[in-house]
Amino acid sequence: MIKQTVALVGNPNSGKTTLFNQLTGSKQHVGNWPGVTIEKKVGVFTYEEHEITLVDLPGIYSMSPYSMEEVVSRDYIMDEHPDLIINIVDGTNLERNLYLSMQLKELGLPMVIAVNMMDELIQKDIELNIEQLSRELNTPVVPISARNGQGMDELIHSLIHNTNSSTFTYDVQTEEILKRIISLIQEKKHDGTHEKFYAFKLLENDELIKKEFDFTPEQYKALEDIQKDFCVIKNQRDIDMAVADTRYAEIERIVSMSLCKPCVSEMKSASDRIDSLLTHKYLGIPMFFVILFGIFTITFGWLGSTLQGFVELGIETFSAWLSVSLVGLGASGWSINLVETVIGGVGSVLSFMPQIMLLFLFLSILEDSGYMSRAAFLMDRMLRKIGLNGKAFIPMLMGFGCTVPAVMATRVLENEKDRKMTMLLTPFMSCGARLPIYALFAGIFFPNNANVAIFGMYVLGIIVAIVCGLLLRKTIFKGDGSTFILELPPYRFPSFKNTMMHMWEKAKGFLIKAGTIIFSMTVLLWFLTSFSFSLQMVDNPELSILGGIGQTIAWIFKPLGFGNWQSVISLMSGFIAKESVVSSMAVVYNAATSAQLDLILAQVFTHASALAFMTFTLLYSPCMAAVATIKSESKSWVFTLESILFQTGVAYIVAFIVYQIAKLVF
């Protein structure tokens, strides 16, 4: 078996993730780059006698990196020396995508170019001469449609049999200039790899590359003279413009030789017509919230509740059968109680699995369709009022799924103040782990309007983030915000396979948590609620270890309406994982089934205190993993502790206000 490592490189929105999923299927794993908390995907697939490891690099527009993701991609290509590169380009935006392709060609690595979205080119009556494009680039080019799996076999075959390592040849004058710089490189006894790429980067004054070579003053003077000569040749004053013009001139020539577009109609495209409504100056944001409300109505309405009922019935049936079986086997009372507690705790969380999967399904559809970029564009106007820009909404949007990658995503922000401010505000976006808490309380206290109550929590998180942002910008984080440039991809029908895979990956993460963290927390809580400080087993949970701890600090939460030790202990367990709040309640209230827990909470809480509890869980400090990520990204324990105090303090104040208002209403 021949083993090869292939790097998947391309612009954002070029279909890179879809292609990765098509090639690797479920044979993939997710981790972080060594020393960097940026997610990487690695998948393995086989073809003939080849085992191919596919590395999905973060999306980049060029090999001139500005963000950490772009640095990671360039460093991997330059330093890890993959055997092959798949450069995926968007066929509907060839001019922009080929800029990266030209730079990759300068590296001289074996490469195949996969022209994606060929189905859209056909729909638009655009003809692309693949053979001509391949000749012009001196590189194998394969037409594909990653969304529906077309061209996969041809792409894999080309990877193995048709790759070459030739570089791209520019016009004669440019090539002479590059030769002069290469001679400078060779004076440094360079190993000879990627010489043309390095020459171009030195020509355009790339600071990272210049540091690598550590030229003498005489060599720097020679490089400056070469740059001046190049600007004269290209009739440009700025070296960056001269280099960019050189590449784009070649790209325009190649595209004109390979692409035949029909006469452009004056009629708006379908994407433009949809955008006229969804990104409208006044209607865009209301439409965004209407879409979200529709999602919550389906997720927590009849469909979600019916599916949840089936799961609850299955868990209760299994629990009853297991209890009877243990009694029949003569198991001890404490072991039966432990098993019932574990099933009740973990089962109380798993019962919300259908609703969580529905929510992730809809969010995946919005992402794959291209609407999420519009949401960031819309929120740019709102976020500018607090000194941020629409780019900050990308981490916040990710926060609806999980706070950990959302905090990592703050790296897309160039300004350190913007990054830290976004780290403080992102945890207010309600992550998926909080969903079981809302669903539990909304189902008990607002059964006819559960979707409205849960939707209200998500909206409240956004409102609190905006208000806190205004306060922070006028006090701690004074200064102007940075600019925001965003590409809006055309709307596309999401791929069924890709959408299902996204949904399953999120659901799988939830199941893993239920099977590890929540299970462990449930067993630990059972022990702490069953034994006293003297390690004697007790029947009354108030006399237990947790009962004593909870009663000591429960008074703090009395102004919020839930000053009982059970609620306090549940909130404390939420610092480990927010999902464990529900399972902890099942344990501390000794509820064997979801139905029993519902009956107990209906007696312990009021409508007002239930809303206050939901609000506090929405806003207080995120889980331990998210806190660790904040420390890693900020590189400051002081800032991390300040963020915990800030978020928990805001949670207390807002929950108090909600409780007081709710008491007047209910």
Side-chain angles (χ1 to χ4, degrees), residues 418-564:
D418 289 352
R419 280 199 300 272
K420 287 192 172 181
M421 185 170 166
T422 307
M423 284 184 210
L424 286 176
L425 302 181
T426 294
F428 293 143
M429 303 296 106
S430 186
C431 68
R434 294 177 170 98
L435 195 54
I437 307 170
Y438 309 149
L440 175 66
F441 281 89
I444 297 170
F445 295 96
F446 312 99
N448 297 323
N449 297 290
N451 59 324
V452 177
I454 296 171
F455 176 70
M457 288 295 107
Y458 281 76
V459 173
L460 179 61
I462 296 173
I463 293 172
V464 169
I466 292 171
V467 172
C468 289
L470 286 169
L471 294 175
L472 290 171
R473 181 57 73 178
K474 292 182 181 297
T475 53
I476 301 172
F477 297 105
K478 292 181 179 180
D480 297 327
S482 54
T483 57
F484 176 48
I485 301 173
L486 176 70
E487 176 193 358
L488 296 182
Y491 288 101
R492 297 185 176 99
F493 283 107
S495 159
F496 177 79
K497 179 181 177 181
N498 208 41
T499 301
M500 291 297 107
M501 195 169 290
H502 280 173
M503 181 187 71
W504 170 242
E505 283 199 5
K506 299 291 185 182
K508 184 172 67 174
F510 183 81
L511 285 172
I512 291 171
K513 272 191 175 182
T516 53
I517 297 175
I518 298 174
F519 175 83
S520 303
M521 282 296 300
T522 303
V523 174
L524 177 62
L525 289 173
W526 173 85
F527 175 81
L528 295 176
T529 54
S530 299
F531 290 85
S532 65
F533 283 102
S534 61
L535 297 182
Q536 296 294 317
M537 201 164 188
V538 295
D539 294 326
N540 185 357
E542 291 188 21
L543 303 176
S544 68
I545 297 171
L546 275 187
I549 296 172
Q551 290 175 72
T552 303
I553 58 177
W555 61 272
I556 298 173
F557 295 91
K558 281 188 177 180
L560 308 186
F562 48 89
N564 55 76

Side-chain angles (χ1 to χ4, degrees), residues 384-411:
R384 283 201 174 280
K385 298 184 185 300
I386 63 174
L388 294 173
N389 61 45
K391 196 178 285 188
F393 187 63
I394 296 171
M396 291 181 178
L397 210 57
M398 293 176 69
F400 286 127
C402 179
T403 306
V404 173
V407 172
M408 292 180 189
T410 58
R411 292 186 171 194

Side-chain angles (χ1 to χ4, degrees), residues 603-617:
Q603 296 172 354
V604 174
F605 286 82
T606 64
H607 285 76
S609 61
L611 278 175
F613 189 85
M614 292 166 69
T615 301
F616 191 84
T617 56

Side-chain angles (χ1 to χ4, degrees), residues 169 172-186 195-196 199-200 226:
T169 303
V172 175
Q173 293 172 314
T174 301
E175 289 293 330
E176 286 298 324
I177 290 289
L178 293 175
K179 285 179 182 177
R180 290 169 61 185
I181 300 178
I182 289 173
S183 66
L184 288 177
I185 293 173
Q186 291 170 344
E195 280 186 339
K196 193 164 192 174
F200 240 123
I226 294 171

